[in-house]
């Protein structure tokens, strides 16, 4: 069952989004011209809301556009598309938002394309955000090419969301998309976008993808990327990568990601744990690594790790 936004919330949001903000805004609700919007929204009167989108007052037009987000009647899509050409930016932004809840696949594609030619950055972002909402609603984000299309044209947090949708595709879908997915890393990606995409490299599964994943754990990469690369590599359970985790083990986000992988390992070289503990710069990392040496080793290695743990305990007292 579709949920209808409360009428008071509808009017409140319309007022907050309006380009015409003034000190006497609270008195606006005494304006009888807004009452027809309220009535049409409550009665789900799409025809009346379409008429109100042509009202002389931009506040009324904006409220009418927002009402469609509550009514969610696809029959109003053509009215909202017309409202995208409104002289008031606030009306155009709100119409774009409402379209996200009523647009079909053809309209959604048109919205994404229109965003590229939109001169006002606020309206452009609204169109891209709304097209993403529509894609999710009608299932277009299950189609890899549709996500790529959106990714190529999105910016800011919309592109982050598209990257996350890409990396969450099923293994078979990402493998089929391997050339296109790998090509994304050859572009000038924001660090936060690349940090999400690296998590999908393990699904791509090619040698090039795994090499790129290991490269993403390189010291020259931004710190936001390295933890994701380390955790994703950890999911491969490849002992050949252990030296990389020992290298990074330490304080901070990167170091903690490396430690998490090592702690989750079913088998480790106990002597390597002991050597890494000796080189660790902070007590917490030394304690974790010495504990791992005891867990995975025996004899002299375990005895040495235990002695060092006792020394740290004495120093901390």
């Amino acid at each position: 069952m579709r949920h209808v936004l409360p009428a008071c919330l509808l009017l409140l949001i319309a007022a907050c989004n309006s380009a015409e903000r003034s000190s006497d805004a609270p008195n606006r609700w005494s304006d009888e011209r807004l009452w027809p919007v309220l009535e049409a929204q409550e009665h789900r009167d799409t025809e009346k809301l379409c008429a109100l989108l042509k009202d002389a007052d931009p506040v009324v037009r904006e409220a009418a556009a927002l009402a469609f987000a509550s009514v969610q009647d696809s029959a109003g899509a053509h009215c909202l598309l017309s409202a995208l050409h409104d002289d008031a930016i606030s009306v155009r932004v709100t119409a774009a938002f409402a379209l996200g809840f009523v647009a079909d696949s053809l309209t959604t594609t048109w919205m994404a394309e229109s965003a590229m030619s939109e001169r006002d950055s606020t309206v452009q972002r609204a169109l891209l955000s709304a097209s993403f909402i529509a894609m999710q609603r009608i299932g277009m984000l299950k189609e890899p090419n549709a996500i790529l299309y959106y990714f190529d044209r999105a910016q800011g947090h919309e592109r982050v969301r598209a990257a996350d949708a890409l990396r969450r595709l099923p293994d078979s879908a990402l493998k089929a998309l391997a050339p296109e997915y790998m090509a994304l890393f050859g572009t000038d990606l924001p660090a936060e976008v690349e940090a999400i995409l690296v998590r999908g490299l393990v699904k791509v599964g090619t040698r090039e993808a795994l090499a790129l994943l290991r490269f993403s754990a390189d010291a020259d990469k931004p710190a936001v990327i390295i933890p994701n690369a380390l955790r994703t590599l950890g999911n491969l359970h490849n002992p050949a990568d252990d030296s990389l985790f020992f290298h990074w083990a330490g304080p901070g986000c990167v170091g903690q990601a490396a430690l998490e992988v090592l702690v989750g390992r079913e088998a480790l070289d106990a002597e390597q744990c002991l050597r890494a503990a000796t080189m660790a710069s902070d007590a917490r990392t030394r304690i974790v690594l010495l504990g791992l040496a005891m867990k995975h080793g025996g004899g002299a290695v375990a005895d040495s790790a235990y002695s060092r743990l006792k020394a740290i305990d004495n120093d901390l007292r």
Side-chain angles (χ1 to χ4, degrees):
M1 181 176 67
R2 182 179 291 118
H3 297 284
V4 178
L5 291 175
C8 59
L9 180 59
L10 166 69
L11 294 178
L12 178 60
I13 296 175
C16 292
N17 287 340
S18 176
E20 296 184 2
R21 291 179 171 85
S22 61
S23 59
D24 63 344
N27 295 328
R28 185 173 301 167
W29 314 133
S30 63
D31 187 346
E32 296 183 1
R33 288 176 297 176
L34 288 179
W35 295 358
V37 177
L38 176 61
E39 182 180 2
Q41 187 263 339
E42 289 184 341
H43 291 88
R44 302 175 56 80
D45 190 337
T46 299
E47 185 177 348
K48 183 63 176 295
L49 287 175
C50 283
L52 289 168
L53 280 174
K54 300 177 182 179
D55 191 274
D57 190 336
V59 175
V60 175
R61 299 199 302 274
E62 182 182 355
L66 186 60
F68 278 104
S70 174
V71 174
Q72 297 184 18
D73 182 0
S74 59
H78 71 284
C79 302
L80 290 169
L81 287 172
S82 297
L84 290 177
H85 303 289
D86 198 283
D87 292 335
I89 291 178
S90 61
V91 176
R92 292 159 62 194
V93 168
T94 308
F97 169 74
L99 274 168
F101 298 92
V102 300
D104 58 16
S105 58
L106 182 61
T107 303
T108 299
T109 301
W110 181 88
M111 289 162 61
E113 292 175 345
S114 296
M116 297 303 99
S117 59
E118 174 58 53
R119 295 183 178 182
D120 186 275
S121 60
T122 304
V123 178
Q124 181 185 61
R125 291 182 63 85
L127 281 168
L128 286 171
S129 181
S131 62
F132 190 88
I133 291 173
M135 285 180 180
Q136 289 180 311
R137 179 177 54 81
I138 61 182
M140 288 180 68
L141 285 182
K142 296 178 182 179
E143 169 57 45
N145 288 329
I147 305 176
L148 277 174
Y149 180 91
Y150 181 83
F151 180 90
D152 289 340
R153 291 157 177 79
Q155 296 179 356
H157 71 275
E158 286 90 0
R159 204 175 199 198
V160 172
R161 292 163 65 185
D164 190 56
L166 276 173
R167 70 99 181 170
R168 290 180 182 276
L169 286 170
D171 293 17
S172 58
L174 269 187
K175 288 179 181 178
L177 203 67
E180 292 85 354
Y181 194 84
M182 292 293 291
L184 298 178
F185 291 89
T187 59
D188 187 18
L189 291 175
E192 61 272 17
V193 173
E194 186 172 346
I196 292 176
L197 290 177
V198 296
R199 298 173 65 181
L201 288 171
V202 67
K203 292 184 178 182
V204 175
T206 63
R207 290 183 179 180
E208 294 79 9
L210 296 181
L212 180 55
L213 180 57
R214 293 184 172 100
F215 176 74
S216 297
D218 188 86
D220 291 333
K221 286 289 185 178
V224 69
I225 296 175
I226 300 174
N228 278 0
L230 291 173
R231 291 188 176 97
T232 305
L233 277 174
N235 292 332
L236 295 174
H237 305 288
N238 189 340
D241 293 319
D242 287 351
S243 58
L244 181 62
F245 303 125
F246 281 112
H247 167 75
W248 279 117
C253 294
V254 174
Q256 290 307 302
L259 282 175
E260 287 174 16
V261 174
L262 292 172
V263 169
R265 280 286 198 256
E266 292 185 2
L268 280 174
D269 184 331
E271 292 186 358
Q272 194 172 13
C273 293
L274 192 59
R275 289 194 299 271
T278 303
M279 300 174 61
S281 60
D282 66 295
R284 183 183 183 280
T285 302
R286 287 197 297 273
I287 291 171
V288 173
L289 291 172
L290 289 171
L292 290 174
M294 293 179 61
K295 175 183 177 181
H296 297 283
V301 173
D303 291 342
S304 178
Y306 178 72
S307 297
R308 297 185 190 195
L309 278 172
K310 287 188 65 176
I312 294 175
D313 183 56
N314 292 332
D315 291 340
L316 293 176
R317 288 183 178 180

